Amino acid sequence: MKKVPVDTRYINKLTPYEQIWQHIQELQNWSSSSWWFFVLLPKRENGYGPGQMMFTFASRAGELYAVNRVWQKGMDVHRPISHEVDRFMTTAVGWINHGNEVHEEIVLQPVEAILDASGSIRAWAEQENGEMYGGEIISRGDDNLTTDVFFNGKRGHAKFTAWSESDWEYDQPSISDVRWKKGGVHLVAWRKLRFKGEFKSPEKTEEIEGIGYFQRVCMNVPMFPWFWNYTIFEDGSLFSAFQPYVGPHVFRKGTWFFPNKMERAFLIPMSSSYFADHESKETIVFEKTVIKPIIGRGEYPWFEIKSENPDGDYIRILFSGYGHAQFLLDRRMIYSLFESRFNYNEYMIKIEKIEGRIKGKPLPLARLGQGWGNMEYTWGISL
Protein backbone atom coordinates (compact mmCIF):
# COMPACT_ATOMS: atom_id res chain seq x y z
CA MET A 1 0.00 0.00 0.00
CA LYS A 2 1.25 3.47 -0.89
CA LYS A 3 2.62 5.44 2.04
CA VAL A 4 0.37 8.35 3.04
CA PRO A 5 2.30 11.63 3.41
CA VAL A 6 2.57 12.67 7.08
CA ASP A 7 0.79 15.97 7.74
CA THR A 8 -0.08 16.53 11.39
CA ARG A 9 -0.55 20.30 11.42
CA TYR A 10 -4.20 19.84 12.38
CA ILE A 11 -3.24 18.47 15.80
CA ASN A 12 -1.50 21.72 16.81
CA LYS A 13 -4.78 23.64 16.42
CA LEU A 14 -6.36 21.60 19.22
CA THR A 15 -6.04 22.09 22.97
CA PRO A 16 -4.21 19.34 24.91
CA TYR A 17 -7.56 18.08 26.24
CA GLU A 18 -9.01 17.95 22.71
CA GLN A 19 -5.99 15.95 21.58
CA ILE A 20 -7.05 13.12 23.92
CA TRP A 21 -9.62 12.22 21.26
CA GLN A 22 -7.10 12.05 18.40
CA HIS A 23 -5.07 9.02 17.34
CA ILE A 24 -2.61 10.63 14.88
CA GLN A 25 -2.85 7.68 12.48
CA GLU A 26 -0.45 9.34 10.02
CA LEU A 27 2.45 8.48 12.34
CA GLN A 28 1.51 4.88 13.05
CA ASN A 29 3.70 2.01 11.88
CA TRP A 30 4.34 -1.70 12.55
CA SER A 31 5.56 -0.94 16.10
CA SER A 32 2.70 1.35 17.18
CA SER A 33 0.77 0.99 20.42
CA SER A 34 -1.79 3.32 21.99
CA TRP A 35 -2.99 3.68 25.57
CA TRP A 36 -5.71 5.62 27.35
CA PHE A 37 -5.21 4.98 31.06
CA PHE A 38 -6.12 6.22 34.55
CA VAL A 39 -4.14 5.62 37.75
CA LEU A 40 -6.36 6.54 40.72
CA LEU A 41 -5.38 7.01 44.37
CA PRO A 42 -8.29 7.19 46.85
CA LYS A 43 -8.39 9.70 49.69
CA ARG A 44 -7.98 8.01 53.08
CA GLU A 45 -7.27 9.18 56.62
CA ASN A 46 -3.50 9.37 56.09
CA GLY A 47 -3.21 10.52 52.51
CA TYR A 48 -4.00 8.92 49.17
CA GLY A 49 -3.50 5.24 49.91
CA PRO A 50 -3.13 2.37 50.36
CA GLY A 51 -5.93 1.60 47.90
CA GLN A 52 -5.35 2.14 44.20
CA MET A 53 -7.06 1.50 40.85
CA MET A 54 -6.08 1.46 37.19
CA PHE A 55 -8.21 1.27 34.05
CA THR A 56 -6.99 1.40 30.47
CA PHE A 57 -7.54 0.81 26.78
CA ALA A 58 -4.49 -1.04 25.42
CA SER A 59 -4.01 -1.21 21.63
CA ARG A 60 -1.22 -2.72 19.56
CA ALA A 61 -0.45 -2.85 15.84
CA GLY A 62 -0.12 -6.24 14.16
CA GLU A 63 -2.17 -9.22 13.10
CA LEU A 64 -2.36 -10.69 16.62
CA TYR A 65 -1.46 -9.52 20.09
CA ALA A 66 -2.46 -10.56 23.60
CA VAL A 67 -3.08 -8.89 26.95
CA ASN A 68 -2.68 -11.40 29.80
CA ARG A 69 -2.77 -14.24 27.25
CA VAL A 70 -6.11 -13.20 25.73
CA TRP A 71 -5.41 -13.05 21.99
CA GLN A 72 -7.11 -10.71 19.57
CA LYS A 73 -6.60 -8.85 16.30
CA GLY A 74 -4.23 -5.91 16.48
CA MET A 75 -4.71 -2.41 15.10
CA ASP A 76 -4.68 -2.18 11.32
CA VAL A 77 -2.27 0.68 10.60
CA HIS A 78 -3.57 0.80 7.01
CA ARG A 79 -7.16 1.54 7.99
CA PRO A 80 -8.64 4.71 6.41
CA ILE A 81 -7.29 7.83 8.08
CA SER A 82 -9.91 10.00 9.77
CA HIS A 83 -9.50 12.89 12.17
CA GLU A 84 -13.19 12.70 13.10
CA VAL A 85 -14.06 9.05 13.87
CA ASP A 86 -11.45 6.30 14.13
CA ARG A 87 -12.27 2.61 14.60
CA PHE A 88 -9.58 0.20 15.78
CA MET A 89 -9.12 -2.91 17.93
CA THR A 90 -8.24 -2.53 21.59
CA THR A 91 -8.45 -4.34 24.94
CA ALA A 92 -10.25 -2.84 27.94
CA VAL A 93 -8.34 -3.75 31.13
CA GLY A 94 -8.58 -2.78 34.78
CA TRP A 95 -7.71 -3.68 38.36
CA ILE A 96 -8.83 -2.49 41.81
CA ASN A 97 -7.10 -2.52 45.20
CA HIS A 98 -9.39 -1.38 48.04
CA GLY A 99 -6.42 -1.40 50.40
CA ASN A 100 -5.73 -5.05 51.22
CA GLU A 101 -5.80 -7.13 48.04
CA VAL A 102 -5.27 -6.44 44.35
CA HIS A 103 -8.19 -7.66 42.21
CA GLU A 104 -6.83 -8.02 38.69
CA GLU A 105 -8.82 -8.41 35.48
CA ILE A 106 -11.87 -6.54 36.77
CA VAL A 107 -12.32 -6.15 33.05
CA LEU A 108 -10.31 -7.92 30.35
CA GLN A 109 -12.21 -7.51 27.10
CA PRO A 110 -10.97 -7.46 23.49
CA VAL A 111 -13.23 -5.04 21.64
CA GLU A 112 -13.45 -2.54 18.79
CA ALA A 113 -12.99 1.05 19.95
CA ILE A 114 -14.72 4.04 18.39
CA LEU A 115 -12.73 7.24 18.93
CA ASP A 116 -14.78 10.36 18.21
CA ALA A 117 -13.00 13.72 17.90
CA SER A 118 -16.02 15.44 19.44
CA GLY A 119 -14.91 13.99 22.79
CA SER A 120 -15.33 10.28 23.40
CA ILE A 121 -13.86 6.82 23.12
CA ARG A 122 -16.32 3.94 23.43
CA ALA A 123 -15.50 0.23 23.32
CA TRP A 124 -18.24 -2.24 24.24
CA ALA A 125 -18.82 -5.92 23.47
CA GLU A 126 -22.13 -7.66 24.21
CA GLN A 127 -21.84 -10.93 26.15
CA GLU A 128 -23.98 -14.06 25.86
CA ASN A 129 -25.98 -12.96 28.92
CA GLY A 130 -26.69 -9.59 27.32
CA GLU A 131 -24.32 -7.63 29.58
CA MET A 132 -21.87 -5.17 27.99
CA TYR A 133 -18.15 -5.51 28.81
CA GLY A 134 -15.57 -2.88 27.91
CA GLY A 135 -15.43 0.81 28.68
CA GLU A 136 -15.93 4.41 27.66
CA ILE A 137 -14.38 7.82 28.37
CA ILE A 138 -16.64 10.75 27.51
CA SER A 139 -16.07 14.51 27.74
CA ARG A 140 -18.87 16.74 29.03
CA GLY A 141 -17.30 19.69 27.17
CA ASP A 142 -17.20 22.14 30.11
CA ASP A 143 -14.49 24.45 31.45
CA ASN A 144 -13.54 22.04 34.26
CA LEU A 145 -12.69 19.30 31.72
CA THR A 146 -15.31 17.10 33.36
CA THR A 147 -14.97 13.58 32.01
CA ASP A 148 -17.25 10.59 32.65
CA VAL A 149 -15.62 7.15 32.74
CA PHE A 150 -17.21 3.70 32.88
CA PHE A 151 -15.46 0.34 32.68
CA ASN A 152 -17.38 -2.90 33.21
CA GLY A 153 -16.24 -6.52 33.22
CA LYS A 154 -16.78 -9.99 34.58
CA ARG A 155 -15.28 -9.21 38.00
CA GLY A 156 -16.60 -5.70 38.67
CA HIS A 157 -16.76 -2.16 37.39
CA ALA A 158 -15.55 1.42 37.77
CA LYS A 159 -17.95 4.29 37.20
CA PHE A 160 -16.47 7.68 38.02
CA THR A 161 -16.14 11.32 37.00
CA ALA A 162 -12.80 13.12 36.62
CA TRP A 163 -12.28 16.88 36.48
CA SER A 164 -9.70 19.64 36.78
CA GLU A 165 -9.41 21.35 40.16
CA SER A 166 -7.79 24.61 38.96
CA ASP A 167 -5.89 26.39 36.18
CA TRP A 168 -2.53 25.37 37.68
CA GLU A 169 -0.43 23.70 34.99
CA TYR A 170 -0.39 20.39 36.87
CA ASP A 171 -4.18 20.33 37.05
CA GLN A 172 -4.38 20.73 33.28
CA PRO A 173 -3.42 18.33 30.45
CA SER A 174 -0.11 18.96 28.69
CA ILE A 175 1.53 17.74 25.49
CA SER A 176 4.82 15.99 24.82
CA ASP A 177 5.52 15.37 21.12
CA VAL A 178 8.84 13.66 20.34
CA ARG A 179 9.46 12.52 16.77
CA TRP A 180 12.22 10.69 14.99
CA LYS A 181 12.70 9.88 11.33
CA LYS A 182 11.01 6.50 11.81
CA GLY A 183 8.76 6.82 14.82
CA GLY A 184 8.13 8.88 17.91
CA VAL A 185 5.87 9.34 20.92
CA HIS A 186 2.89 11.68 21.24
CA LEU A 187 1.70 12.07 24.82
CA VAL A 188 -1.20 13.85 26.49
CA ALA A 189 -0.60 13.82 30.26
CA TRP A 190 -3.22 15.03 32.74
CA ARG A 191 -0.89 14.89 35.68
CA LYS A 192 -3.27 15.70 38.52
CA LEU A 193 -7.02 15.28 38.35
CA ARG A 194 -9.80 14.88 40.87
CA PHE A 195 -12.15 11.90 40.66
CA LYS A 196 -15.21 10.53 42.41
CA GLY A 197 -17.29 7.44 41.73
CA GLU A 198 -18.21 3.83 42.41
CA PHE A 199 -15.76 0.93 42.25
CA LYS A 200 -16.84 -2.70 42.46
CA SER A 201 -14.55 -5.71 42.83
CA PRO A 202 -15.12 -9.27 44.12
CA GLU A 203 -14.26 -7.86 47.56
CA LYS A 204 -16.85 -5.05 47.79
CA THR A 205 -18.52 -2.05 46.18
CA GLU A 206 -17.21 1.28 47.42
CA GLU A 207 -17.78 5.00 46.81
CA ILE A 208 -14.33 6.56 46.38
CA GLU A 209 -12.89 10.00 45.68
CA GLY A 210 -9.31 11.11 45.38
CA ILE A 211 -6.52 12.22 43.04
CA GLY A 212 -5.43 10.54 39.86
CA TYR A 213 -3.38 10.65 36.67
CA PHE A 214 -4.56 10.20 33.08
CA GLN A 215 -2.52 9.63 29.96
CA ARG A 216 -3.22 9.14 26.29
CA VAL A 217 -0.01 8.02 24.65
CA CYS A 218 0.60 7.02 21.04
CA MET A 219 3.91 5.13 20.87
CA ASN A 220 5.25 4.59 17.36
CA VAL A 221 8.39 2.78 18.51
CA PRO A 222 8.88 -0.67 20.10
CA MET A 223 8.05 -0.71 23.81
CA PHE A 224 11.26 -0.74 25.84
CA PRO A 225 11.98 -1.22 29.57
CA TRP A 226 11.38 1.71 31.93
CA PHE A 227 10.61 2.88 35.45
CA TRP A 228 7.85 5.44 35.93
CA ASN A 229 6.83 6.75 39.34
CA TYR A 230 3.76 8.75 40.31
CA THR A 231 3.45 9.83 43.95
CA ILE A 232 0.82 11.99 45.68
CA PHE A 233 1.48 13.52 49.09
CA GLU A 234 -1.17 14.02 51.74
CA ASP A 235 -1.35 17.78 51.05
CA GLY A 236 -1.86 17.24 47.30
CA SER A 237 1.74 17.86 46.19
CA LEU A 238 3.11 15.65 43.44
CA PHE A 239 6.39 13.91 42.65
CA SER A 240 7.00 11.98 39.44
CA ALA A 241 10.01 10.41 37.77
CA PHE A 242 10.69 8.56 34.51
CA GLN A 243 13.70 6.45 33.61
CA PRO A 244 14.15 4.15 30.62
CA TYR A 245 16.98 1.68 31.00
CA VAL A 246 19.02 -0.92 29.11
CA GLY A 247 20.17 -4.15 30.74
CA PRO A 248 19.78 -7.93 30.79
CA HIS A 249 16.13 -7.32 31.79
CA VAL A 250 15.28 -6.94 28.10
CA PHE A 251 15.59 -10.74 27.77
CA ARG A 252 13.46 -11.52 30.83
CA LYS A 253 9.89 -12.60 30.08
CA GLY A 254 8.78 -14.09 33.39
CA THR A 255 7.98 -12.49 36.75
CA TRP A 256 11.16 -13.21 38.65
CA PHE A 257 14.21 -11.21 39.70
CA PHE A 258 17.97 -11.36 39.30
CA PRO A 259 20.18 -11.12 42.39
CA ASN A 260 20.11 -7.57 43.70
CA LYS A 261 23.41 -6.49 42.19
CA MET A 262 22.42 -7.70 38.72
CA GLU A 263 18.88 -6.35 39.05
CA ARG A 264 20.42 -2.90 39.39
CA ALA A 265 22.97 -3.39 36.59
CA PHE A 266 21.67 -1.26 33.74
CA LEU A 267 22.48 1.78 31.65
CA ILE A 268 20.32 4.90 31.83
CA PRO A 269 20.10 6.72 28.47
CA MET A 270 18.05 9.56 29.98
CA SER A 271 15.87 10.37 32.97
CA SER A 272 13.66 13.11 34.35
CA SER A 273 11.71 14.00 37.49
CA TYR A 274 9.89 16.90 39.11
CA PHE A 275 8.33 17.99 42.38
CA ALA A 276 5.16 20.11 42.14
CA ASP A 277 4.24 21.85 45.40
CA HIS A 278 0.47 22.12 45.81
CA GLU A 279 0.58 25.02 48.31
CA SER A 280 3.09 27.33 46.59
CA LYS A 281 2.24 26.16 43.03
CA GLU A 282 5.99 26.01 42.38
CA THR A 283 7.66 23.24 40.38
CA ILE A 284 11.22 22.01 40.72
CA VAL A 285 12.67 20.05 37.79
CA PHE A 286 15.59 17.68 38.37
CA GLU A 287 17.99 17.09 35.48
CA LYS A 288 19.59 14.02 37.05
CA THR A 289 17.48 11.14 38.37
CA VAL A 290 18.37 7.55 39.24
CA ILE A 291 15.73 4.92 40.09
CA LYS A 292 16.85 1.56 41.43
CA PRO A 293 14.91 -1.48 42.64
CA ILE A 294 15.71 -3.23 45.91
CA ILE A 295 14.99 -6.96 45.97
CA GLY A 296 14.63 -9.08 49.09
CA ARG A 297 13.08 -6.73 51.66
CA GLY A 298 9.59 -8.14 51.27
CA GLU A 299 7.13 -9.85 48.97
CA TYR A 300 7.44 -6.99 46.48
CA PRO A 301 10.40 -4.88 45.38
CA TRP A 302 11.28 -1.66 47.18
CA PHE A 303 12.59 1.29 45.20
CA GLU A 304 14.89 4.22 45.78
CA ILE A 305 14.94 7.46 43.81
CA LYS A 306 17.66 10.09 43.90
CA SER A 307 17.01 13.36 42.04
CA GLU A 308 19.13 16.50 41.88
CA ASN A 309 19.78 19.58 39.76
CA PRO A 310 22.65 22.08 39.34
CA ASP A 311 20.94 24.59 41.66
CA GLY A 312 21.54 22.32 44.64
CA ASP A 313 17.97 21.06 44.88
CA TYR A 314 17.65 17.35 45.64
CA ILE A 315 15.17 14.69 46.77
CA ARG A 316 15.93 11.19 47.99
CA ILE A 317 13.04 8.77 48.53
CA LEU A 318 12.83 5.17 49.71
CA PHE A 319 9.60 3.37 48.77
CA SER A 320 8.26 0.06 50.04
CA GLY A 321 6.13 -2.06 47.70
CA TYR A 322 2.85 -3.46 49.02
CA GLY A 323 0.90 -4.63 45.96
CA HIS A 324 1.36 -5.77 42.37
CA ALA A 325 -0.69 -5.85 39.17
CA GLN A 326 0.57 -7.03 35.82
CA PHE A 327 -0.12 -6.80 32.09
CA LEU A 328 1.61 -9.34 29.87
CA LEU A 329 1.75 -8.00 26.31
CA ASP A 330 2.54 -10.64 23.68
CA ARG A 331 2.81 -10.21 19.93
CA ARG A 332 3.14 -12.88 17.25
CA MET A 333 5.55 -12.21 14.41
CA ILE A 334 6.76 -13.79 11.18
CA TYR A 335 3.72 -15.94 10.40
CA SER A 336 3.23 -16.59 14.15
CA LEU A 337 6.56 -18.44 14.38
CA PHE A 338 7.90 -16.11 17.10
CA GLU A 339 6.46 -14.15 20.00
CA SER A 340 7.76 -11.08 21.80
CA ARG A 341 6.70 -10.29 25.36
CA PHE A 342 6.61 -7.05 27.30
CA ASN A 343 6.14 -7.57 31.04
CA TYR A 344 4.30 -4.49 32.30
CA ASN A 345 4.29 -4.37 36.12
CA GLU A 346 2.46 -1.91 38.39
CA TYR A 347 3.73 -1.83 41.98
CA MET A 348 1.74 0.03 44.64
CA ILE A 349 4.24 1.88 46.82
CA LYS A 350 4.48 3.92 50.01
CA ILE A 351 7.18 6.39 51.07
CA GLU A 352 9.21 4.95 53.95
CA LYS A 353 11.90 7.61 54.07
CA ILE A 354 12.34 10.97 52.35
CA GLU A 355 14.76 13.85 52.56
CA GLY A 356 15.45 16.81 50.35
CA ARG A 357 16.27 20.44 49.92
CA ILE A 358 14.43 22.91 47.69
CA LYS A 359 15.62 26.49 47.11
CA GLY A 360 17.94 26.31 50.10
CA LYS A 361 15.29 25.00 52.51
CA PRO A 362 14.51 21.47 53.71
CA LEU A 363 11.41 19.81 52.29
CA PRO A 364 8.33 20.73 54.40
CA LEU A 365 7.78 17.13 55.42
CA ALA A 366 5.24 17.89 58.14
CA ARG A 367 3.03 19.69 55.63
CA LEU A 368 3.53 17.16 52.84
CA GLY A 369 2.44 14.26 55.02
CA GLN A 370 2.23 10.65 53.87
CA GLY A 371 3.19 9.79 50.28
CA TRP A 372 1.58 6.97 48.29
CA GLY A 373 2.03 6.08 44.65
CA ASN A 374 2.55 3.75 41.75
CA MET A 375 5.79 2.45 40.26
CA GLU A 376 5.81 1.00 36.78
CA TYR A 377 8.70 -1.45 36.46
CA THR A 378 8.70 -3.00 33.01
CA TRP A 379 11.03 -5.43 31.26
CA GLY A 380 11.24 -7.47 28.08
CA ILE A 381 10.56 -5.80 24.74
CA SER A 382 7.56 -5.54 22.45
CA LEU A 383 8.63 -5.88 18.81
Side-chain angles (χ1 to χ4, degrees), residues 43-84:
K43 176 64 175 174
R44 303 300 191 195
E45 292 183 4
N46 297 312
Y48 294 87
Q52 199 169 128
M53 298 81 74
M54 183 176 186
F55 287 87
T56 181
F57 292 122
S59 308
R60 185 72 169 86
E63 290 187 12
L64 289 172
Y65 81 106
V67 177
N68 288 355
R69 302 180 182 87
V70 176
W71 289 92
Q72 70 158 75
K73 292 181 180 179
M75 286 192 302
D76 179 6
V77 297
H78 299 301
R79 66 193 184 281
I81 290 178
S82 171
H83 302 152
E84 301 302 322

Side-chain angles (χ1 to χ4, degrees), residues 17 21 118-121 137-142 145-148:
Y17 184 75
W21 323 108
S118 65
S120 69
I121 178 171
I137 306 171
I138 302 174
S139 170
R140 290 190 191 174
D142 61 25
L145 310 183
T146 308
T147 307
D148 294 322

Side-chain angles (χ1 to χ4, degrees), residues 50-52 96-103 203-204 300 322-323:
Q52 199 169 128
I96 294 174
N97 177 2
H98 292 285
N100 298 311
E101 180 183 355
V102 181
H103 301 279
E203 180 180 344
K204 62 181 175 179
Y300 306 107
Y322 65 88

Side-chain angles (χ1 to χ4, degrees), residues 8 36 51 72 86 147 164 182 207 360:
T8 59
W36 284 256
Q72 70 158 75
D86 184 18
T147 307
S164 173
K182 294 183 179 180
E207 291 288 333

Side-chain angles (χ1 to χ4, degrees), residues 46-335:
N46 297 312
Y48 294 87
Q52 199 169 128
M53 298 81 74
M54 183 176 186
F55 287 87
T56 181
F57 292 122
S59 308
R60 185 72 169 86
E63 290 187 12
L64 289 172
Y65 81 106
V67 177
N68 288 355
R69 302 180 182 87
V70 176
W71 289 92
Q72 70 158 75
K73 292 181 180 179
M75 286 192 302
D76 179 6
V77 297
H78 299 301
R79 66 193 184 281
I81 290 178
S82 171
H83 302 152
E84 301 302 322
V85 177
D86 184 18
R87 294 174 178 265
F88 56 95
M89 294 303 298
T90 191
T91 303
V93 190
W95 51 263
I96 294 174
N97 177 2
H98 292 285
N100 298 311
E101 180 183 355
V102 181
H103 301 279
E104 298 191 77
E105 298 181 8
I106 294 296
V107 55
L108 178 57
Q109 179 63 53
V111 64
E112 183 185 55
I114 303 173
L115 179 65
D116 191 323
S118 65
S120 69
I121 178 171
R122 293 178 169 90
W124 293 104
E126 186 172 2
Q127 308 302 301
E128 292 182 359
N129 61 3
E131 193 169 359
M132 303 297 287
Y133 289 172
E136 63 185 30
I137 306 171
I138 302 174
S139 170
R140 290 190 191 174
D142 61 25
D143 292 339
N144 293 329
L145 310 183
T146 308
T147 307
D148 294 322
V149 185
F150 182 31
F151 280 80
N152 187 48
K154 187 176 181 180
R155 305 189 73 228
H157 67 245
K159 190 173 185 178
F160 63 94
T161 297
W163 69 93
S164 173
E165 185 178 42
S166 74
D167 292 332
W168 185 35
E169 62 176 323
Y170 285 90
D171 292 330
Q172 297 287 319
S174 63
I175 297 292
S176 178
D177 188 358
V178 181
R179 302 186 189 181
W180 299 279
K181 188 174 181 180
K182 294 183 179 180
V185 177
H186 189 280
L187 170 70
V188 181
W190 193 353
R191 293 169 289 186
K192 187 166 175 278
L193 56 85
R194 291 285 176 172
F195 76 91
K196 184 176 182 179
E198 180 183 270
F199 297 82
K200 179 183 179 181
S201 75
E203 180 180 344
K204 62 181 175 179
T205 301
E206 186 178 12
E207 291 288 333
I208 300 175
E209 60 181 291
I211 290 176
Y213 174 95
F214 170 80
Q215 181 171 290
R216 191 282 281 135
V217 57
C218 299
M219 297 186 65
N220 301 304
V221 293
M223 296 180 70
F224 46 83
W226 69 69
F227 295 89
W228 175 73
N229 166 246
Y230 179 79
T231 298
I232 289 290
F233 292 92
E234 195 168 346
D235 79 331
S237 297
L238 166 64
F239 177 82
S240 185
F242 175 70
Q243 175 185 290
Y245 68 95
V246 180
H249 317 66
V250 72
F251 301 107
R252 181 170 62 193
K253 293 186 176 182
T255 308
W256 49 271
F257 298 101
F258 297 113
N260 226 344
K261 187 174 182 180
M262 189 173 180
E263 193 71 32
R264 302 170 69 155
F266 45 69
L267 301 176
I268 305 172
M270 58 84 68
S271 62
S272 63
S273 63
Y274 61 84
F275 170 71
D277 191 298
H278 178 75
E279 182 176 280
S280 67
K281 297 297 189 286
E282 291 184 322
T283 302
I284 301 298
V285 176
F286 303 97
E287 285 81 3
K288 182 179 179 181
T289 296
V290 178
I291 306 174
K292 291 185 177 181
I294 304 172
I295 309 302
R297 290 198 179 183
E299 182 180 358
Y300 306 107
W302 288 34
F303 301 91
E304 61 179 6
I305 299 181
K306 298 180 180 180
S307 298
E308 59 187 38
N309 64 27
D311 296 327
D313 303 319
Y314 73 91
I315 288 182
R316 300 188 183 100
I317 308 177
L318 176 66
F319 295 95
S320 60
Y322 65 88
H324 175 229
Q326 181 182 70
F327 302 123
L328 298 176
L329 305 176
D330 298 316
R331 184 172 184 238
R332 289 177 178 165
M333 304 175 295
I334 312 177
Y335 304 104

